[in-house]
Structures are given as structure tokens and as C-alpha cells.
């Protein structure tokens, strides 16, 4: 059996974990104000009079208000000048006020009234010197876009992504600290999970353990979890009916949690039993591809060049080319923050230059249909001196967590 994998009971594995969230500091009001000021400067440069921030992560990013999207309009209007305003159903006003981090007027509508006309009224109250262009955050549902379009009049509706993503893609030190905490917690969960695997355990049983383990380290459970064994591991996001674990199966576990809204996302692949020569070969190629991507992630380099470096490594070992299998069927990495996948992306066609504060997954997965898949996924962030890992990459197929290192 691979060193450090298996042999510990479920309860003993849970008992090995300790809460590690106590020192995590939520984003403070002063930082939300700084974010708004930066967005407003960009809005004035780009000729946007206002941005509508719909319930979800962009609303949270700029105002601190945590609210899930639903069939009702709940959000904020961020003008190019002045204070943010909130919009919500009248019966939710008290709850919205309770959740506010940044104070602001809450404009309300009753169930028989049009929230779109209310938003139009608030737009018309803005300084006309800033024009008549309203940016909509990317997560705004179509039904709201459609409703606004009917009452827009001379207001032009545009995508606010050039402002929202420009702000969100470069993380502050406080954001990076929260993601570091989340990743440390999830890596501890991975180690504990590997220690409690046994032949015949089901993917559902492992997922339940991982959820309990995330709670043990201080999270509210797993934000997501993918557990795959054997040939199932060749499917990047899983199968309908996962198989139980058998000896010498490849194990692929991809999971993460939230710390004050910020994500972790780590995948580990290893063999439960004795690795075959084929498993060992592909595991090492995957490690090399991940290292090649990291080495290419230099300041000023286009995101797509990081993806190209991983693919060149794989092709040099006879995999691919491109998205062909056996090989890498998806992008090398994604941005991460309040959303698990957010701009920019390490993929062909994304020419965004790497800048300090950007955070990415590095996961150039190798899929070998009918046999197994291997994904080493760790995240890194860009410092003024180059890339830095949130978590140390897997050590070896025999000792994936470096316990013997």
C-alpha cells in the first residue's frame, strides 16, 4: 500500500483534525469602501453612469452584503459618483438592513409593483453628466436584464465585466490570507481522508467524511466534493454511479471549503494499493505538467502562455495534442476568489497579462479513458516577485502528502 494511504479508522481520522479558522479576519468595511472607490474611478474612465450589482458574489465583493439570487430583484446600484444604494422587496427591508456591512438607503418595491421601474427611477435621479450607460454585473439573470430592457428608454445596458472583473481579479493581502486559511484547512482534510480509505468504501461515504472533516477544521462543511475511483477518475467532474474503492485503484478527490466567503479547491490523485508502471508514469507526467505551468507563470506573461506550457509538456510525453485524449481535455487553470471559477483563466485565447494579486488553480489533468485520470490541483497567487503556491504540490505517487519527506 502507498505510504501514508489507508489504515486509520474514520473516527481516528476525524480526531486528528483541529479547528484552524480562529485567526481568519473577515473583509473589513474600509476595504469595501476602497473597492467601491476603485470601481467608480474605472466607471468614469469607461463612461458608465452606474453598475447594477445583483445578489451574489459581486454584490458581496463591493458591499459586503451576502444575499442569494432568487426570482426577486435584490441588489445594489453603484453610481459613478456618490453612495451605493440598495434595492429589495419591501418585506425584505429589515433583513437586508440586518445584513448590510456598508450602510445605504434601501429602496423597496411591493409584490405587485415593478422593481425594474424602481431601478429606472433611481437611474434617472443620477447626474446626467455621467451619461446614460448602465453596467450589469455578469451574474445578473436574464429575466432581470429583460425586465430592465423593457423600461430602459434612453439608458443603454452593457456588461459591467470590464469594471467588476478588473477589480476582483487582483486580490488584496486580506483576500489572499483568507484563501490561504481555506487551502490549509482543505489540505489537512485531504490528508485525513487518505488515512481512512479502505477497500469497499463508497464515494458517498468518503464525501460524507470530507464534509464532517471540513466542519472539524472550522468550515461550514464542504463547498463541493468529487470522489472518484479507478476508471471513474478519467471523468473530470464525475460519473452518475461511482464505483466503490478496490485495491490498486487510482483515487481522485477534489474538494474545497469557504472561509468568510473565500474558496479553497484542491485535488489529490494517488493509488490505493501498489501503483502500476502505467499509473506511476502518468502520475509523474502530470506532476511535470503542473510544474511547467507554474514555471511559466511570470509577471506580464499572458494567461494563455501558462496553458500552452502545460500542453507542451504533455505533448512531449506523447499526450494530446490540444484537447485530444489521452491528455488534457480542459483549460489548465481558473481564477478563484469569492467564486470557485472566476476571471481570468489559464486557457488559450485569454491574453490577460499576469499581475500581482491574481490567483489561479494549476490543474493540467491527464485523462486516460477506460483506465484512470490524474489531476494534481494546487493554487498559486502572483506576488511582485512571481508565483507562490497556496499549498505544496503532491510529493510523489508513493508519498503524495510528503509525510516521509
Amino acid at each position: 500500500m502507498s505510504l501514508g494511504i489507508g489504515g486509520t479508522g474514520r473516527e481516528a481520522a476525524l480526531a486528528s483534525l483541529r479547528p484552524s479558522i480562529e485567526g481568519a479576519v473577515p473583509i473589513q468595511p474600509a476595504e469595501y469602501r476602497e473597492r467601491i472607490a476603485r470601481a467608480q474611478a474605472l466607471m468614469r474612465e469607461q463612461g458608465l453612469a452606474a453598475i447594477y450589482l445583483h445578489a451574489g458574489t459581486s454584490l458581496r465583493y463591493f458591499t459586503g452584503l451576502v444575499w442569494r439570487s432568487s426570482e426577486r430583484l435584490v441588489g445594489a446600484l453603484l453610481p459613478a459618483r456618490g453612495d451605493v444604494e440598495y434595492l429589495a422587496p419591501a418585506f425584505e427591508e429589515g433583513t437586508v438592513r440586518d445584513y448590510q456591512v456598508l450602510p445605504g438607503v434601501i429602496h423597496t418595491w411591493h409584490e405587485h409593483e415593478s422593481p425594474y421601474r424602481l431601478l429606472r427611477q433611481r437611474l434617472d435621479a443620477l447626474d446626467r453628466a455621467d451619461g446614460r450607460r448602465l453596467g450589469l454585473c455578469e451574474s445578473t439573470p436574464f429575466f432581470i436584464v429583460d425586465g430592465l430592457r423593457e423600461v430602459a428608454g434612453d439608458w443603454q445596458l452593457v456588461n459591467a465585466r470590464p469594471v467588476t472583473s478588473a477589480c476582483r481579479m487582483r486580490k488584496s493581502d486580506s483576500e489572499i490570507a483568507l484563501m490561504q486559511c481555506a487551502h490549509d484547512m482543505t489540505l489537512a482534510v485531504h490528508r485525513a481522508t487518505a488515512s481512512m480509505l479502505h477497500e469497499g468504501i463508497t464515494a458517498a461515504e468518503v464525501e460524507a467524511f470530507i464534509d464532517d472533516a471540513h466542519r472539524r477544521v472550522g468550515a461550514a462543511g464542504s463547498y463541493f466534493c468529487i470522489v472518484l475511483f479507478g476508471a471513474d477518475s478519467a471523468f473530470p467532474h464525475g460519473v452518475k454511479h461511482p464505483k466503490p474503492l478496490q485495491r490498486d485503484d487510482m483515487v481522485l478527490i477534489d474538494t474545497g471549503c469557504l472561509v468568510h466567503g473565500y474558496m479553497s479547491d484542491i485535488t489529490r490523485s494517488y493509488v490505493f494499493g501498489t501503483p502500476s508502471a502505467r499509473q506511476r508514469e502518468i502520475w509523474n507526467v502530470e506532476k511535470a505538467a503542473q510544474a511547467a505551468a507554474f514555471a511559466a507563470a511570470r509577471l506580464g506573461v499572458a494567461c494563455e502562455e501558462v496553458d500552452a506550457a502545460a500542453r507542451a509538456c504533455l505533448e512531449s510525453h506523447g499526450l494530446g495534442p490540444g484537447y485530444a485524449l489521452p491528455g488534457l481535455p480542459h483549460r489548465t487553470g481558473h481564477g478563484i476568489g469569492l467564486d470557485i471559477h472566476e476571471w481570468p483563466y489559464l486557457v488559450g485565447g485569454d491574453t490577460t497579462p499576469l499581475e500581482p494579486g491574481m490567483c489561479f488553480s494549476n490543474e493540467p489533468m491527464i485523462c486516460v479513458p477506460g483506465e484512470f485520470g490524474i489531476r494534481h490541483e494546487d493554487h498559486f497567487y502572483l506576488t511582485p516577485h512571481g508565483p507562490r503556491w497556496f499549498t505544496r504540490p503532491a510529493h510523489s505517487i508513493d508519498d503524495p502528502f510528503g509525510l516521509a519527506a
Side-chain angles (χ1 to χ4, degrees), residues 121-325:
Q121 291 169 9
R122 299 315 308 156
L123 290 171
D124 288 342
L126 300 178
D127 189 340
R128 293 185 69 91
D130 288 317
R132 310 288 279 182
R133 297 177 73 231
L134 172 66
L136 304 174
C137 72
E138 284 183 277
S139 60
T140 305
F142 176 77
F143 77 88
I144 289 180
V145 179
D146 194 46
L148 289 175
R149 191 166 53 191
E150 291 182 2
V151 302
D154 60 346
W155 280 89
Q156 181 185 2
L157 307 181
V158 299
N159 192 339
R161 186 169 71 81
V163 172
T164 55
S165 67
C167 292
R168 291 182 57 177
M169 70 173 59
R170 285 179 283 273
K171 273 62 179 182
S172 67
D173 290 346
S174 54
E175 291 178 284
I176 289 172
L178 290 173
M179 282 190 280
Q180 183 66 68
C181 180
H183 279 90
D184 290 345
M185 290 161 61
T186 292
L187 186 58
V189 168
H190 266 291
R191 291 192 189 102
T193 303
S195 76
M196 54 75 68
L197 296 178
H198 59 82
E199 194 165 4
I201 196 170
T202 66
E205 288 172 321
V206 177
E207 289 168 7
F209 172 86
I210 291 172
D211 189 64
D212 287 344
H214 269 128
R215 295 177 193 278
R216 190 86 176 192
V217 295
S222 301
Y223 179 75
F224 74 98
C225 190
I226 299 171
V227 177
L228 300 167
F229 304 136
D232 291 351
S233 62
F235 295 85
H237 288 161
V239 296
K240 185 176 181 180
H241 300 294
K243 67 181 287 296
L245 180 62
Q246 295 178 310
R247 183 164 294 279
D248 299 337
D249 271 350
M250 183 65 68
V251 175
L252 187 153
I253 298 177
D254 184 357
T255 189
C257 68
L258 297 176
V259 172
H260 298 307
Y262 284 86
M263 300 276 178
S264 62
D265 178 11
I266 302 174
T267 306
R268 286 290 177 265
S269 299
Y270 43 83
V271 174
F272 179 77
T274 303
S276 67
R278 173 74 160 165
Q279 290 169 329
R280 187 179 297 277
E281 174 195 8
I282 299 300
W283 198 100
N284 288 331
V285 173
E286 169 72 356
K287 185 173 175 66
Q290 189 190 44
F294 185 79
R298 302 182 304 276
L299 294 175
V301 166
C303 285
E304 65 179 1
E305 293 186 35
V306 180
D307 180 77
R311 293 184 191 280
C313 178
L314 295 177
E315 289 175 23
S316 73
H317 288 87
L319 299 170
Y323 297 103
L325 300 182

